[in-house]
Amino acid sequence: MLAYIKQILRIASNEFDNEINQLIESAYADLLLSGVRAEQLNESDSLIKRAVSLYCKTHFGYDNKDHVHLLNAYNSLKSHLIVSVDYGKMG
């Protein structure tokens, strides 16, 4: 997942690997805490990959002018996952 997220963030160096790995872990934890079933948190799943990438794009770096837009997109996707029969605990 690290290589995929680095590509999304347009990062070529390894300088930010620790920060990016922490963001990836935080994204998974947030999805789990919010109600996505643990067995669905598969990095090969396209919707999970999209949610993790949105989370990372939202929280990576400083002065992100797209922060609000990306956060809204992440929260929207997360909400859909939570209520989904396939992904959510409540679905």
Side-chain angles (χ1 to χ4, degrees), residues 34-53:
S34 297
V36 175
R37 293 193 316 264
E39 62 269 19
Q40 296 299 359
L41 295 179
N42 183 336
E43 69 179 48
S44 65
D45 183 288
S46 60
L47 289 175
I48 298 301
K49 282 175 74 170
R50 184 66 181 149
V52 172
S53 66

Side-chain angles (χ1 to χ4, degrees), residues 1 4-5 8 23-24 26-28 30-32 36 40-43 45-59 70-71 73-82 87:
M1 182 67 84
Y4 173 75
I5 296 300
I8 294 293
L23 287 172
I24 293 167
S26 295
Y28 281 120
D30 185 63
L31 291 168
L32 184 63
V36 175
Q40 296 299 359
L41 295 179
N42 183 336
E43 69 179 48
D45 183 288
S46 60
L47 289 175
I48 298 301
K49 282 175 74 170
R50 184 66 181 149
V52 172
S53 66
L54 283 168
Y55 184 95
C56 291
K57 286 177 77 169
T58 298
H59 295 93
L70 291 166
L71 183 60
Y74 170 73
N75 284 330
S76 177
L77 178 54
K78 179 173 68 170
S79 295
H80 284 92
L81 291 170
I82 292 165
Y87 292 88

